[in-house]
Amino acid sequence: MSHAELLDIATEAARTAGALLLERFGTELVLATKSTPTDVVSEADLAAERAIREVLARRAPDDAVMGEEGPDVGGTSGRRWIVDPLDGTVNFLYGLPMWAVSVACEGLAGVVYDPLRDELFAAVADGPATLNGRELRVEGPSELSQALVATGFGYDPARRILQAEVVSRVLPRARDIRRGGSAALDLAWVAAGRLDAYYERGINPWDVAAGELICARAGLVVERLDPVGELPWGVLAAPPAVAGELRALVT
Ligand code: LIP
């Protein structure tokens, strides 16, 4: 399948899930908790992932699928879809307008869809990043002190103590910090220039698979952060001029 076809599939899946979520936004309740009492899942998460998986089964039946809320499905094509049906679940449940659907065909195509603003961030491996079809290309600031840096925190209190130590190093060196609650949207907004950089450890592949590709195709440095001490792997996306300084602070 061409990259354009993969992007079309990702777009159909994300928009289908997004429409379903939009109907539920503001009325959804917590269905269960996962890793900790604050790591919640709702029926909206589950219904959105079912909708995405139905599109993928119909249009890419030979492809593997990894999703936040369902079982891994093997494939024979060599392609793998990595999906987060609702990134920013806590925001969604509180009625905070900061959540998105993330659908990626690993390394080849990806979309982050924000149904509230009807904004589709997209990219393919051999094309530009776009927002609703308009090309995104980011220069970004030349110094970290001028950079608006987004990050996030895990659900585990012990991990948050370590993450607080890291952000205490970044805060005095950056323009400011933003914590939006959705890695996918954070990365999409970095690609759109609404944020200058993002880093986070303890995220999952489905949180970042599409956003990493979108940021890379928008001209940002995108890299995985190796585990350090008790902190797990993470992601960093930043303009070339500040990536090294930010990496040194969060490593
Ligand atoms: C969220 C991530 C976010 C992180 C949150 C949460 P979820 O994913 O996108 O970056 O800081 O703690 O993990 O749980 O809403 O799918």
Side-chain angles (χ1 to χ4, degrees):
M1 268 191 270
S2 71
H3 290 173
E5 286 175 274
L6 295 174
L7 188 61
D8 189 64
I9 294 169
T11 300
E12 178 185 349
R15 286 190 179 278
T16 301
L20 180 155
L21 292 168
L22 211 49
E23 287 175 6
R24 295 165 175 259
F25 183 52
T27 61
E28 196 65 17
L29 302 172
V30 173
L31 181 66
T33 58
K34 299 189 288 188
S35 62
T36 70
T38 55
D39 183 4
V40 292
V41 62
S42 69
E43 176 51 43
D45 291 83
L46 304 181
E49 184 153 328
R50 285 195 296 269
I52 291 169
R53 287 175 182 258
E54 285 164 3
V55 173
L56 297 179
R58 171 166 46 86
R59 296 193 60 183
D62 300 326
D63 295 6
V65 180
M66 171 197 277
E68 178 170 12
E69 308 304 348
D72 287 358
V73 174
T76 57
S77 67
R79 292 183 299 264
R80 180 170 69 160
W81 294 84
I82 303 178
V83 303
D84 190 340
L86 172 50
D87 192 54
T89 297
V90 172
N91 289 346
F92 184 89
L93 290 169
Y94 272 77
L96 288 172
M98 281 286 291
W99 48 271
V101 181
S102 180
V103 180
C105 188
E106 192 172 14
L108 300 175
V111 303
V112 172
Y113 180 50
D114 175 351
L116 288 168
R117 299 170 181 86
D118 193 22
E119 291 188 329
L120 184 79
F121 301 85
V124 293
D126 56 357
T130 58
L131 167 52
N132 290 349
R134 176 175 54 84
E135 190 169 329
L136 299 175
R137 192 74 193 166
V138 178
E139 292 302 320
S142 57
E143 297 178 13
L144 183 60
S145 62
Q146 297 301 308
L148 189 59
V149 180
T151 190
F153 308 112
Y155 291 109
D156 175 69
R159 177 176 291 176
R160 285 184 174 176
I161 291 171
L162 301 174
Q163 291 173 319
E165 290 168 5
V166 174
V167 76
S168 72
R169 298 198 293 268
V170 178
L171 186 55
R173 301 277 294 276
R175 173 190 292 273
D176 206 344
I177 291 288
R178 293 291 184 270
R179 197 282 195 257
S182 166
L185 214 45
D186 285 337
L187 286 163
W189 284 11
V190 170
R194 297 174 183 171
L195 295 165
D196 292 312
Y198 164 80
Y199 79 91
E200 185 169 356
R201 291 180 186 276
I203 29 82
N204 292 294
W206 45 76
D207 295 318
V208 299
E212 286 178 307
L213 180 62
I214 293 166
C215 279
R217 301 307 299 169
L220 291 136
V221 169
V222 180
E223 57 192 39
R224 292 288 171 95
L225 300 168
D226 292 332
V228 57
E230 294 299 308
L231 282 171
W233 68 272
V235 168
L236 178 147
V242 306
E245 186 179 357
L246 180 58
R247 184 190 314 112
L249 289 173
V250 304
T251 298

